[in-house]
Amino acid sequence: MTKIISPSMLSADFGNLQAMCEMINASEAEWLHFDVMDGVFVPNISFGFPVIEAVKKHCRKMLDVHIMIVQPEKYVQRFAKAGAGVLTFHYEATENPDEVIRLIRAEGIKVGICVNPDIPVKVLEPFIEKVDMVLLMSVFAGFGGQKFIEETYSRIDELKEMIDRMNPDCLIEIDGGVTLENAPKLFAHGVNVLVAGSTVYNATNPQQMIIDLKC
Ligand code: DX5
Ligand code: ZN
């Protein structure tokens, strides 16, 4: 089973992003996670295109871009141009998820769809066959360093059942409150990609933490 760690840049030292890229390049992380927040869909503002473009120049890992923005359809092309390898939008943030999926596909990059913890997993069913990844938030989108919501496990099981039935190649990603304690259980439930922000960047040895999260 695929096990991928995608450290979230949100918890990195923004004053030294080149050092972060070098750390990530030399680490066992397969992806690097970007949290783009617009202050409308979520009550926080993070960063946008120039930061992704700058990091892209130095980072050799796949850029896993999670957009917490309203009207994602407006910006798909620019995220693809900035270097996104997988672009994940929120189901709740658009009136037309099918159109967003179509636009991302047209850019030739991987498509992810995401829901917050209060959205029933069932709403994703019509999209499972059309996407490469489903991201289930295990905290409410908006801030790093929150506590993992335990109900996430039953949501993963429900999603996994749909994926096995409809599109077994579709990856499951979990984002929020991932720690050394819950990582093995998450992988055991069938998760493929773990996003980890504070757990990686607050570690004394982030590269070792990335290895330990995969065990
Ligand atoms: C939250 C973001 C997460 C966040 C995770 O809105 O989507 O990616 O950076 O941070 P931790 O791992 O610290 O919960
Ligand atoms: Zn995220």
Side-chain angles (χ1 to χ4, degrees), residues 13 36 40-41 44-45 53 58 64 73 85 95 116 140 148 162 183 185 189-190 197:
D13 174 5
V36 177
V40 179
F41 180 69
N44 198 7
I45 296 177
E53 282 159 8
H58 301 284
D64 168 29
E73 51 279 353
E95 295 193 340
N116 259 312
F140 281 89
F148 181 86
M162 290 198 295
K185 193 168 168 189
H189 277 255

Side-chain angles (χ1 to χ4, degrees), residues 10-111:
L10 199 59
S11 299
D13 174 5
F14 281 44
N16 202 349
L17 290 180
Q18 195 167 343
M20 179 210 64
C21 292
E22 282 156 16
M23 184 281 282
I24 293 291
N25 285 342
S27 80
E28 307 256 316
E30 289 82 356
W31 295 2
L32 177 62
H33 188 83
F34 289 76
D35 288 304
V36 177
M37 305 179 184
D38 67 353
V40 179
F41 180 69
V42 287
N44 198 7
I45 296 177
S46 56
F47 52 79
F49 308 114
V51 173
I52 301 175
E53 282 159 8
V55 171
K56 174 71 184 170
K57 285 192 194 133
H58 301 284
C59 182
R60 293 193 299 273
K61 304 298 174 99
M62 172 142 108
L63 307 193
D64 168 29
V65 180
H66 172 200
I67 51 174
M68 288 159 268
I69 65 170
V70 295
Q71 295 184 303
E73 51 279 353
K74 277 193 180 171
Y75 298 102
V76 166
Q77 268 189 332
R78 295 206 45 202
F79 283 113
K81 243 203 180 96
V86 50
L87 184 60
T88 300
F89 69 98
H90 274 258
Y91 161 87
E92 319 89 292
T94 175
E95 295 193 340
N96 195 345
D98 273 316
E99 176 63 2
V100 184
I101 293 169
R102 192 189 66 74
L103 288 167
I104 300 175
R105 279 258 172 268
E107 294 302 314
I109 59 175
K110 288 189 192 299
V111 186

